[in-house]
Amino acid sequence: MTATTDERVKSVSGFRRAMIRPELGAICGTILVFVFFVLIAGDTGMFAAQGVMNWTLVSAQFAIIAVGACLLMIAGEFDLSVGSMIGFAGTVIAIVSVQWGWPVWIAILCAFAVALAIGALNGWLVIRTGLPSFIVTLAFLYILRGLTIWLSILTTRQTIIGGVGEAAKGDWLAWLFGGKIFGSLFVWLADADVIATYDRGARSGQPIIDGIPMLIVWAIGLMIFAHVLLTRTRFGNWIYAAGGDAQAARYVGVPVDRVKILMFMFTAFCATVFATCQVMEFGSAAADRGLLKEFEAIICVVIGGALLTGGYGSVVGAALGALIFGVVQQGLFFAGAESSLFRVFLGTILILAVIMNTFIRRMITGER
């Protein structure tokens, strides 16, 4: 029995299939960025063990918030309150643990509970009012930033709340956000002269890298979770459907409203993970933390190939966009360039990414 070809199904060449992959642009951009900085900063220590750890840590920071933004944008919505959520969640942790004297693990759980509630409220308002998520979350950007500053001044009369580091010592949940893993491995690598050690001071003889920060572990974990959710589950198909054509998705039984609200909550969850890691790293909370992070997250996702109209994107692409950001930010430092050029890069890469994504969308839809 011979197989027949349905004439209604349009065949797609392997080359065209590769061209419409959302992460294609991010892959090309990553290669170009690495080649560029190998040429101009390869002998500055950027690709030594400590340099690699530096830009990996920065990339992980971008990746954590980009993962949440990616899934939400694929679902057809935006969240501009991410940056303010970072500062707000960190302040909640500091107030509950330092000012109220509660255990840090309770403070962290409180921050996550409040953040998830705000994320659900964002999603509910978007669904119930029919307003663009851009407007609703822009309002919460100001509301949360104002609340953060007000709460800080009300409780401590200053916008920076310290003492979290001391309160977090020995706390089991605090370690999951501020600890390090594989410390013995790096000691062994230092003994084998694979990585450098401190040659003076109190830490003389200890490895320069004493472990992998949990922030990097969280970034990798969230990326894997989101990628599997998006590509291997029915819920992932619902996310694409909700962003592609919400009304058509409703007709076939997709719970579009629930999907979008959950994605707003997931974005708030990612922002709180970032905030908690920052608070544990610095031992304090500051009202201005997270400034402009919402735009950096969106740019990472756009670089990764997601369409601003929703229904198309990739977690892998968003992760590569975060990697590009981390490498460029640290690469400019190692190359001795002016740090403000990083913002120039952000604007330039955003325009190029949108142009390329528009070209890809036209290839998919056949538009001229």
Side-chain angles (χ1 to χ4, degrees):
M1 184 175 180
T2 59
T4 59
T5 303
D6 192 336
E7 62 181 6
R8 295 170 298 178
V9 179
K10 185 179 179 180
S11 62
V12 180
S13 67
F15 174 75
R16 189 173 186 273
R17 190 180 299 112
M19 284 294 295
I20 63 176
R21 289 295 302 170
E23 61 271 12
L24 175 64
I27 292 173
C28 296
T30 302
I31 294 172
L32 290 174
V33 164
F34 270 95
V35 170
F36 177 76
F37 283 107
V38 165
L39 293 176
I40 70 168
D43 58 349
T44 62
M46 179 178 175
F47 295 98
Q50 183 63 37
V52 171
M53 179 58 71
N54 287 343
W55 52 258
T56 300
L57 194 60
V58 174
S59 299
Q61 294 175 357
F62 287 120
I64 288 175
I65 54 176
V67 167
C70 178
L71 266 60
L72 183 62
M73 286 178 62
I74 292 174
E77 306 294 346
F78 292 92
D79 190 348
L80 297 182
S81 66
V82 168
S84 297
M85 180 68 76
I86 292 170
F88 179 75
T91 298
V92 169
I93 293 172
I95 290 175
V96 173
S97 62
V98 177
Q99 298 301 311
W100 294 2
W102 292 12
V104 172
W105 67 270
I106 294 180
I108 293 173
L109 293 179
C110 286
F112 274 99
V114 173
L116 290 174
I118 294 173
L121 179 59
N122 269 331
W124 182 82
L125 286 173
V126 169
I127 299 300
R128 293 292 293 179
T129 64
L131 292 172
S133 55
F134 176 88
I135 298 298
V136 173
T137 58
L138 180 62
F140 271 90
L141 180 153
Y142 286 100
I143 291 171
L144 291 177
R145 188 66 69 185
L147 280 175
T148 302
I149 297 172
W150 177 73
L151 288 172
S152 298
I153 295 176
L154 180 67
T155 55
T156 66
R157 299 189 180 277
Q158 54 188 1
T159 57
I160 299 178
I161 305 175
V164 182
E166 292 76 12
K169 288 181 179 178
D171 189 274
W172 64 275
L173 190 55
W175 182 87
L176 289 178
F177 295 91
K180 294 183 178 181
I181 60 174
F182 301 135
S184 58
L185 172 62
F186 287 96
V187 171
W188 178 80
L189 291 173
D191 292 339
D193 291 329
V194 176
I195 61 175
T197 60
Y198 291 100
D199 56 1
R200 62 173 64 90
R203 302 186 63 184
S204 178
Q206 297 182 23
I208 291 179
I209 303 174
D210 56 358
I212 297 177
M214 289 303 295
L215 184 142
I216 296 177
V217 177
W218 272 103
I220 294 172
L222 286 171
M223 287 187 291
I224 293 173
F225 167 78
H227 177 71
V228 172
L229 177 70
L230 201 58
T231 61
R232 295 290 186 268
T233 68
R234 181 175 63 173
F235 190 84
N237 292 333
W238 288 354
I239 294 173
Y240 279 113
D245 190 331
Q247 194 57 48
R250 289 188 178 96
Y251 288 150
V252 297
V254 175
V256 172
D257 294 352
R258 185 174 66 177
V259 168
K260 292 195 175 190
I261 290 174
L262 287 173
M263 289 302 95
F264 275 106
M265 294 175 68
F266 182 66
T267 303
F269 176 86
C270 292
T272 309
V273 169
F274 181 93
T276 309
C277 290
Q278 271 202 332
V279 169
M280 296 304 126
E281 178 185 358
F282 297 115
S284 64
D288 62 347
R289 295 260 171 89
L291 193 65
L292 298 180
K293 288 298 180 184
E294 58 277 346
F295 297 109
E296 293 173 354
I298 290 173
I299 295 174
C300 284
V301 179
V302 172
I303 292 175
L307 296 179
L308 297 175
T309 52
Y312 185 79
S314 162
V315 173
V316 174
L320 290 173
L323 178 62
I324 290 173
F325 270 23
V327 171
V328 170
Q329 188 180 77
Q330 292 298 297
L332 292 174
F333 169 78
F334 279 100
E338 173 59 43
S339 60
S340 59
L341 290 176
F342 178 63
R343 300 296 174 188
V344 177
F345 166 80
L346 292 188
T348 303
I349 200 69
L350 175 60
I351 293 174
L352 294 176
V354 171
I355 292 173
M356 183 170 184
N357 291 350
T358 301
F359 172 74
I360 292 174
R361 178 177 58 81
R362 289 176 177 173
M363 286 185 61
I364 297 170
T365 61
E367 296 178 10
R368 294 184 179 274

